[in-house]
Amino acid sequence: MPMRILSAALLVTLASAFAFDPRRISREPSSFVIRINNGTNKRKIQSLQVATSDIANDRISSSPDLARKIKDGYKLISERNYLTLAFAQAGILASFADIATQMMENGNIPLDIAHVAAMATIASTMSGVFNAICLRHLEDGFPGRNKENVAIKTVFHATIIASIINSAYLAGVPLLANHIYHGTGLPDNPFGAWQMSEFITLTKLEVAMFIPYNTLAFAFVPPQVRPLTHAAISASFNVAVSAVTLGYFDTWCGKVMNVIG
């Protein structure tokens, strides 16, 4: 009898211990919470990764989109206002080139505003409008990018069109700067400032700069964009034009020769 009672008590104790095991109570809820938290954290991490990748993709794609919008906008403006755009581009760039030339030579001496205005006038009308018309006619007459047409357009521009534009600078800038914009009227010889030595100097610079440029431009640059690229490279050429018309060019060449020698 005592053995039966002892055995029964032992069975009850084991059953109770198994049914109310505190480790099972604490482990089951905690593992459930951990699973819930892990799932929530994974969802948060995935959402954060998606948002971060979207921001990165937006930043990567924003630059090409902006460049494409600028290109399309410029193309649209150039198609609708081809000559007006060429006029403005050439005039603005030539003005800055002339100001830079005067500042390099004179430092803080007040600018010759009449000369800046004269350079802007000739540049906008001749390097801008006249050159844009010539470029369009050259492209219509010798279309495409084949080597023969590119060579014809390059030689024609360097020999005929460039000579006309350079002569306009040599004669027109002094005429406008020294007479028209100062209100003194026309001189006895309106084209007296044109000199063969200065024309040869500008022609040499023109050939050295624009034959390589035009060879590349006629082969690779779209016709609508050529007035802009031509005006940009003309800005550096206009520094030499300003130096010639202001009388600085020989002095600059002498300084260069002294440095080299």
Side-chain angles (χ1 to χ4, degrees), residues 101 105 197-198 200-205 236-257:
T101 303
E105 179 64 22
S197 59
E198 294 179 346
I200 292 174
T201 299
L202 290 184
T203 301
K204 290 179 180 178
L205 290 173
S236 58
F237 179 74
N238 283 335
V239 172
V241 175
S242 296
V244 170
T245 55
L246 287 166
Y248 303 156
F249 192 78
D250 291 337
T251 303
W252 286 7
C253 292
K255 292 179 180 179
V256 172
M257 294 303 295

Side-chain angles (χ1 to χ4, degrees), residues 191-211:
F191 304 103
W194 189 95
Q195 297 181 17
M196 178 59 72
S197 59
E198 294 179 346
F199 177 78
I200 292 174
T201 299
L202 290 184
T203 301
K204 290 179 180 178
L205 290 173
E206 179 88 25
V207 168
M209 292 179 62
F210 283 92
I211 283 186

Side-chain angles (χ1 to χ4, degrees), residues 8-181:
L10 182 59
L11 290 174
V12 172
T13 302
L14 291 174
S16 300
F18 182 80
F20 299 97
D21 185 2
R23 290 176 297 177
R24 289 180 58 86
I25 295 174
S26 61
R27 184 166 58 250
E28 288 298 323
S30 63
S31 63
F32 175 75
V33 172
I34 289 172
R35 285 196 297 272
I36 294 298
N37 289 337
N38 285 340
T40 304
N41 290 336
K42 287 180 180 179
R43 286 193 296 272
K44 290 181 178 179
I45 292 172
Q46 291 174 352
S47 300
L48 181 60
Q49 289 175 343
V50 171
T52 305
S53 62
D54 290 341
I55 294 173
N57 290 332
D58 290 341
R59 290 179 178 176
I60 293 173
S61 61
S62 62
S63 297
D65 289 343
L66 179 61
R68 185 168 58 253
K69 289 179 180 178
I70 294 174
K71 179 181 177 181
D72 294 341
Y74 180 85
K75 183 178 179 182
L76 180 62
I77 294 174
S78 64
E79 289 176 352
R80 294 181 177 179
N81 305 280
Y82 178 72
L83 297 181
T84 303
L85 190 60
F87 179 93
Q89 290 168 170
I92 292 171
L93 291 173
S95 299
F96 282 111
D98 192 65
I99 292 171
T101 303
Q102 294 188 43
M103 293 182 66
M104 285 189 291
E105 179 64 22
N106 297 327
N108 295 326
I109 296 177
L111 294 173
D112 186 348
I113 301 300
H115 195 276
V116 176
M119 281 291 297
T121 302
I122 299 299
S124 58
T125 54
M126 298 303 296
S127 294
V129 175
F130 174 74
N131 185 65
I133 293 173
C134 292
L135 290 175
R136 176 173 284 178
H137 281 294
L138 281 176
E139 190 61 34
D140 292 339
F142 305 96
R145 301 178 179 181
N146 62 77
K147 294 181 179 179
E148 182 180 355
N149 284 356
V150 168
I152 293 174
K153 289 183 284 189
T154 299
V155 172
F156 190 89
H157 190 279
T159 56
I160 307 300
I161 299 173
S163 297
I164 296 173
I165 294 175
N166 290 340
S167 296
Y169 276 113
L170 293 176
V173 171
L175 176 65
L176 293 174
N178 299 329
H179 300 280
I180 304 301
Y181 291 153

Side-chain angles (χ1 to χ4, degrees), residues 212-232:
Y213 160 75
N214 283 327
T215 302
L216 296 174
F218 287 130
F220 300 106
V221 179
Q224 293 84 2
V225 186
R226 285 175 195 163
L228 173 62
T229 57
H230 188 276

